[in-house]
Amino acid sequence: MKKFNLFIFLVSSIISYSCESKRIEKKEKIKIQIEKKNIKKNKILSEDPKVILNEKNVINFFYEFNKQNNYNKVKISTSFGEIIIRLFDETPYHKSNFIYLSKLGYFNNTFFHRVVPNFIIQGGNSDNRVTSVKRRLIGKYLLPVDAKNNIKHNRGIVSMPSSDINNPYKLASPYEFFIVQKKNGAHHLNGNYTPFGRVIKGMNVVDKINSQPIDSREAPINNIKMSVEIIE
């Protein structure tokens, strides 16, 4: 009799646990649906992406985009001041990529998330979930290195880092960028990364950001938010 009661207890416990798991799972699904609706309602991008970019369509897309969006200046706003960047016509795909992401509002509320003293500041990422959602909405793609333009990594140059994935060809990570802060430039980067712009105003702001305290991962102790807009 005792064994039978124990069996009944175990079966009841299993059924109860299964029902509770289903309730939790259902609750999580509802939570995700509500979150998706909120993201759509709040319009986390300034405008809807034209297409979802990928490795197959990205070059053709930016080739056509460049014909109709030939801007060449952007402004990065931070709590330390403004940085004005002139984009290079010599690197049309990387230039178009930066303009496109700026038009979509991708960079708004991302951070200068990496600071290497007397070397570079790097931006375009954050630990906010919204940033990863933005990336999924825009697409997953990389850009080839354009080293034929012979532009050197002098102080003030804006360049594109390579992806963290297994990447022997150093394909560029399109959602991030770095600005060379080093006084004499960073010429060991020449040929491996693509310079696509230059700071024409606000290097004092770059210097201020570069002087901020960082942790062991080269991340600023205090978040340095940015917003980016096209000005010309």
Side-chain angles (χ1 to χ4, degrees):
M1 189 68 178
K2 288 182 179 180
K3 289 184 178 179
F4 178 76
N5 290 337
L6 178 61
F7 175 75
I8 294 296
F9 173 75
L10 289 173
V11 171
S12 299
S13 298
I14 291 170
I15 292 173
S16 176
Y17 176 78
S18 177
C19 290
E20 180 65 21
S21 296
K22 287 181 180 179
R23 278 196 294 271
I24 293 172
E25 185 178 348
K26 187 176 180 180
K27 189 176 179 181
E28 285 300 313
K29 284 183 179 179
I30 293 172
K31 185 179 177 182
I32 290 170
Q33 288 173 355
I34 292 173
E35 191 176 49
K36 284 181 177 179
K37 286 181 180 179
N38 287 335
I39 287 171
K40 192 171 182 180
K41 183 180 178 182
N42 293 333
K43 200 170 180 63
I44 61 170
L45 293 172
S46 302
E47 55 184 79
D48 295 332
K50 306 301 180 187
V51 297
I52 296 178
L53 295 176
N54 57 48
E55 302 294 344
K56 293 181 179 179
N57 67 14
V58 64
I59 296 299
N60 285 338
F61 176 82
F62 284 134
Y63 177 78
E64 295 298 328
F65 180 84
N66 187 53
K67 292 179 182 178
Q68 301 175 17
N69 297 270
N70 194 24
Y71 305 103
N72 60 16
K73 279 186 187 177
V74 296
K75 177 174 69 177
I76 301 175
S77 299
T78 75
S79 59
F80 294 95
E82 297 175 346
I83 303 168
I84 308 296
I85 295 170
R86 177 177 291 279
L87 303 172
F88 298 144
D89 290 330
E90 293 90 337
T91 53
Y93 298 111
H94 298 73
K95 170 187 171 182
S96 294
N97 173 77
F98 198 80
I99 291 170
Y100 182 61
L101 296 182
S102 299
K103 285 191 73 174
L104 293 180
Y106 166 77
F107 293 111
N108 298 340
N109 293 315
T110 60
F111 306 151
F112 277 104
H113 59 279
R114 181 177 177 232
V115 168
V116 185
N118 302 311
F119 182 39
I120 64 163
I121 61 172
Q122 185 167 325
N125 204 347
S126 80
D127 53 6
N128 294 329
R129 181 181 172 276
V130 171
T131 300
S132 60
V133 173
K134 286 181 178 181
R135 292 187 180 199
R136 285 202 298 274
L137 291 173
I138 297 168
K140 184 178 181 181
Y141 62 101
L142 298 172
L143 292 173
V145 174
D146 182 1
K148 295 179 181 178
N149 56 66
N150 206 33
I151 302 170
K152 308 299 182 185
H153 282 81
N154 298 321
R155 173 175 162 83
I157 281 292
V158 185
S159 190
M160 200 171 286
S162 59
S163 169
D164 289 335
I165 64 172
N166 184 19
N167 189 6
Y169 298 107
K170 293 188 179 294
L171 297 178
S173 176
Y175 293 108
E176 298 180 24
F177 64 95
F178 65 87
I179 301 174
V180 178
Q181 186 270 343
K182 190 175 180 181
K183 184 178 179 180
N184 297 321
H187 299 294
H188 63 287
L189 303 178
N190 296 342
N192 290 323
Y193 304 89
T194 302
F196 63 93
R198 179 174 62 86
V199 175
I200 58 174
K201 184 179 179 182
M203 275 306 294
N204 60 319
V205 178
V206 175
D207 290 335
K208 287 178 186 176
I209 294 173
N210 189 261
S211 68
Q212 297 308 299
I214 57 175
D215 62 19
S216 58
R217 300 170 302 161
E218 299 178 334
I221 301 298
N222 300 307
N223 289 335
I224 305 172
K225 285 188 178 182
M226 75 173 80
S227 63
V228 179
E229 61 181 299
I230 300 164
I231 57 175
E232 186 180 313

